[in-house]
Amino acid sequence: MLKYTLLIGLGFCSFVTFAQEEEQVPQEEAKGNLGEIEVVRDYKPILADAVKIRQSPDLTNNRKYLSKLNYSVFDRKLDINTGTHRLEIQQLPAMRPDILTNNYAKIGAGNFNTLLGEVYISNGEDQALQVGGFAKHLSQKGSDYEGQNFSEQKIGLFGRSILDRITLNGEIGFNRYATRYYGFVPLQPELNTDPTKQHYNDLYLKGELNSNYEDNEELLSYSLKVDGYLFGNAFSTKENSFALSANINKKVNAFNVGANVSGDFTSLKSNDLSLGNHIARLNSYIRFQGKNYKLTLGATLVSEFGGEENRNNIFPTVDFDFALVPEYASIYAGVKGDVVKTSFRSLANENPFLTESPFLDTTSNSLVVRNMLEKLHVFGGLKGNAGATFGYKVGVFYKQISDLPFYAIQPNSPSRYDIIYDRGEKNKVFGLEGDINVRVSEAVSLGGNLLFNEYDLENEAEAWYIPKLRLAANTRINISKKVYIDGELFFNDAMKAKSYQQYAGVSGTDPNAPVTVSMPSFVDISAGLEYRATKQIGVYVRGNNLLNKGYERFLYYPRLGFNIIGGVNVSF
């Protein structure tokens, strides 16, 4: 029964399959007969209620607030081993510079018979070894007063060597300055019709040894300096000096300990008389230094010997520096004392019209030299800078001084100056000082300094020839790569000079009685212009005392009026 049933089913399936076989239509008829399509009704898509969105759209178009995202980026080095290596710098072959600026020469001439010659020579290319020399000549002759002549010559050799552990510096030279006693007294012009010649010769030697900086702070730092000179005028006054000084410093934990020691041995000779003026000095200190402060505590022992008076003094030394704003503003303060050497050389460089023997005491027929004693010197102020374009310093000071040296004309010869002293024990000086340097741009720079002094003396009526205010300013402007301008201004406040009735026009019973003469303030302005015609040759012109004022720095000695000088300088 199962067999027959299976056969009947298979037969029925084959019949149905044969019934669905598609009738073959000839190819020619198929091209013209596309068939028939019966349309029952239009098609309309209908969605079920379950998939419909029953919410109206919001058309306000407001952007939603997005919170700020914070990312935490880890500082990790990405190591990628690509086989690359650091590039090596290719060394360039040594080339000779186009211009050697370490050597130059200058010549010039101007009114008042002005002659100028200057030369400077140095090896210049080896930074560890510098050797060179210089020479200069300048002479002028005024026409307003008899003997108003000046001349100056300088010549010297220098050297500098930087070794592994030390640096050596040295210089030897000769300076000569010549003039005449052309002092002119308006009320008595016949006093000085034939001015006497005067000149000063200065042969000097300098040497210095310094230890080089080491990374190891525990090493001992040290320096040694020697200074000597032979100085004399056209007459019989001579001064010889030899000074030796040394410094050692050692860092111990958080502080430094050190000492400065020096010996200055000076001898003075005049009119077959001689006198010694020797000063020995020892300064020991301990310095505490932190990140923003520095404090130095110490004491100075000064001994004077070899002269008329021998003195020993001990002075405290306190120096404090604190950075209010590091690298921009610091306050400083201190207390100290010292002995300032009275030197024939330094006094003559300031006032060349000293008498033939300024230290001769005619009453005792002996030489008298007294060193200035600063019993107390208190100072403080503010200093700082703003990078390399602006630097400043302003401070005040107070001093108690004895044996102050001053200039005074001789009673019987007003064209010559003596040295007098105020030996008061209660002399006081209050002062204000300031410095400023401004670099406006790479082409413009400015600078200036100010000094104000107020003296309260015990014996002398005034601080002779010392102005209350001195002001100096300078500028340099690079107009282009070839044109340079520089200028200087110097202001000297009114001064007091010590004279006598017969020269000052004061009537009295004693013509040799001293009187005080007021000297007016003055301003001295100078300016210069330089044009670089080529990279090695330049042309310059300079004017001095542009206001053409015959002012007096020292009584009865008028200065030259407006003078101009021009010439050529060469670099090689």
Side-chain angles (χ1 to χ4, degrees):
M1 222 28 217
L2 179 62
K3 180 188 300 184
Y4 294 115
T5 302
L6 180 60
L7 292 173
I8 294 172
L10 293 174
F12 180 78
C13 288
S14 62
F15 173 78
V16 174
T17 304
F18 178 77
Q20 293 181 354
E21 182 179 0
E22 193 172 290
E23 185 180 0
Q24 298 292 327
V25 180
Q27 186 175 1
E28 294 78 5
E29 296 181 2
K31 293 182 181 179
N33 187 11
L34 298 177
E36 234 175 55
I37 297 175
E38 182 180 0
V39 178
V40 179
R41 62 179 177 83
D42 298 333
Y43 173 77
K44 294 182 178 181
I46 299 175
L47 294 176
D49 292 341
V51 296
K52 291 181 179 180
I53 300 176
R54 300 182 180 276
Q55 183 178 0
S56 300
D58 185 6
L59 302 179
T60 57
N61 196 23
N62 289 334
R63 181 171 296 178
K64 295 183 178 180
Y65 171 76
L66 299 178
S67 61
K68 183 177 180 180
L69 301 179
N70 295 323
Y71 297 92
S72 178
V73 180
F74 298 98
D75 185 11
R76 293 182 177 178
K77 180 180 179 181
L78 179 61
D79 294 324
I80 301 177
N81 187 10
T82 60
T84 60
H85 63 280
R86 185 179 63 181
L87 296 177
E88 299 294 337
I89 299 176
Q90 181 66 36
Q91 297 291 336
L92 296 176
M95 298 178 62
R96 181 180 177 89
D98 294 336
I99 302 177
L100 298 178
T101 59
N102 52 294
N103 304 326
Y104 77 88
K106 178 186 291 187
I107 58 173
N111 63 335
F112 294 117
N113 298 316
T114 302
L115 294 176
L116 172 66
E118 187 173 353
V119 61
Y120 180 96
I121 299 176
S122 173
N123 63 324
E125 296 185 9
D126 189 350
Q127 296 182 357
L129 178 63
Q130 294 287 321
V131 180
F134 59 90
K136 179 181 179 180
H137 168 82
L138 174 63
S139 61
Q140 292 180 306
K141 182 179 180 181
S143 57
D144 297 332
Y145 304 94
E146 181 67 26
Q148 196 178 23
N149 302 343
F150 310 95
S151 68
E152 180 181 14
Q153 294 81 34
K154 294 182 178 181
I155 186 172
L157 300 173
F158 62 87
R160 175 185 177 90
S161 178
I162 302 177
L163 305 178
D164 294 336
R165 294 290 184 88
I166 61 174
T167 299
L168 301 175
N169 292 283
E171 182 179 344
I172 183 172
F174 175 77
N175 298 332
R176 177 184 172 88
Y177 183 82
T179 185
R180 286 177 178 263
Y181 291 108
Y182 69 91
F184 179 79
V185 182
L187 298 179
Q188 301 184 30
E190 71 281 357
L191 291 178
N192 194 15
T193 58
D194 187 14
T196 306
K197 292 182 179 181
Q198 173 66 291
H199 69 256
Y200 299 93
N201 296 328
D202 183 11
L203 177 63
Y204 65 91
L205 172 67
K206 298 179 182 179
E208 188 173 0
L209 181 151
N210 293 304
S211 61
N212 294 336
Y213 173 78
E214 298 284 351
D215 293 335
N216 187 359
E217 297 181 350
E218 297 181 356
L219 293 178
L220 182 71
S221 61
Y222 54 90
S223 65
L224 181 66
K225 184 177 181 180
V226 61
D227 189 351
Y229 63 83
L230 304 176
F231 186 81
N233 61 8
F235 303 94
S236 60
T237 303
K238 312 293 180 184
E239 184 180 62
N240 305 329
S241 177
F242 176 79
L244 184 66
S245 61
N247 167 264
I248 55 173
N249 184 83
K250 173 72 174 179
K251 184 174 183 180
V252 180
N253 296 329
F255 56 89
N256 290 270
V257 293
N260 300 301
V261 59
S262 64
D264 189 334
F265 306 95
T266 304
S267 62
L268 183 68
K269 297 180 180 181
S270 181
N271 293 337
D272 298 328
L273 300 174
S274 61
L275 178 69
N277 183 21
H278 312 316
I279 302 176
R281 184 179 289 104
L282 172 63
N283 169 243
S284 58
Y285 62 88
I286 179 172
R287 179 179 297 122
F288 303 89
Q289 186 169 353
K291 183 177 180 180
N292 295 324
Y293 75 92
K294 182 170 64 176
L295 175 63
T296 304
L297 303 174
T300 303
L301 172 63
V302 182
S303 177
E304 303 172 70
F305 57 96
E308 182 182 1
E309 296 181 359
N310 298 330
R311 296 183 298 186
N312 296 310
N313 293 278
I314 298 179
F315 305 100
T317 303
V318 180
D319 197 338
F320 177 71
D321 195 320
F322 177 74
L324 293 175
V325 182
E327 300 182 1
Y328 290 95
S330 300
I331 59 173
Y332 67 93
V335 178
K336 64 180 181 179
D338 204 353
V339 174
V340 181
K341 175 184 172 182
T342 299
S343 168
F344 178 43
R345 184 195 195 195
S346 60
L347 294 175
N349 286 334
E350 182 180 15
N351 184 357
F353 310 111
L354 295 177
T355 186
E356 295 87 342
S357 183
F359 299 103
L360 179 63
D361 186 352
T362 56
T363 58
S364 61
N365 194 26
S366 61
L367 299 178
V368 177
V369 177
R370 293 186 174 91
N371 299 314
M372 185 172 66
L373 180 63
E374 290 187 356
K375 298 180 179 180
L376 179 64
H377 182 187
V378 183
F379 59 93
L382 181 69
K383 62 180 179 180
N385 59 71
T389 61
F390 180 75
Y392 65 92
K393 179 180 179 182
V394 58
V396 296
F397 60 86
Y398 170 79
K399 297 180 182 180
Q400 293 182 1
I401 307 177
S402 64
D403 293 331
L404 277 80
F406 295 109
Y407 303 111
I409 62 172
Q410 290 185 339
N412 57 351
S413 181
S415 62
R416 288 165 171 78
Y417 281 82
D418 280 328
I419 304 296
I420 60 176
Y421 302 91
D422 190 323
R423 307 212 64 191
E425 299 292 332
K426 299 180 180 179
N427 296 325
K428 302 177 180 64
V429 183
F430 171 78
L432 171 68
E433 57 185 354
D435 292 278
I436 186 172
N437 290 283
V438 182
R439 186 179 178 184
V440 180
S441 65
E442 294 184 357
V444 180
S445 60
L446 303 170
N449 60 76
L450 175 147
L451 177 61
F452 174 83
N453 291 302
E454 183 69 39
Y455 282 79
D456 183 10
L457 304 178
E458 184 175 350
N459 297 325
E460 295 295 329
E462 299 286 347
W464 311 119
Y465 298 102
I466 299 180
K468 287 188 177 182
L469 177 64
R470 285 179 180 173
L471 177 64
N474 61 81
T475 182
R476 180 176 175 86
I477 303 174
N478 298 349
I479 298 179
S480 66
K481 293 183 178 181
K482 291 188 175 183
V483 182
Y484 307 88
I485 294 178
D486 66 277
E488 296 178 357
L489 181 147
F490 179 75
F491 171 77
N492 196 94
D493 200 7
M495 301 179 295
K496 302 294 183 180
K498 187 176 183 179
S499 185
Y500 299 92
Q501 291 183 358
Q502 58 177 328
Y503 308 131
V506 178
S507 60
T509 58
D510 185 4
N512 291 325
V515 295
T516 300
V517 177
S518 297
M519 301 178 62
S521 61
F522 62 85
V523 177
D524 193 333
I525 302 176
S526 61
L529 172 66
E530 181 179 355
Y531 173 72
R532 302 295 299 179
T534 66
K535 293 183 178 181
Q536 293 180 305
I537 300 176
V539 181
Y540 71 93
V541 60
R542 185 169 189 83
N544 300 310
N545 195 1
L546 298 181
L547 300 180
N548 195 24
K549 300 293 185 181
Y551 61 86
E552 296 181 2
R553 173 64 181 89
F554 296 101
L555 189 61
Y556 306 137
Y557 276 93
R559 301 296 295 269
L560 292 174
F562 170 71
N563 58 92
I564 187 171
I565 183 174
V568 179
N569 55 56
V570 180
S571 301
F572 58 94

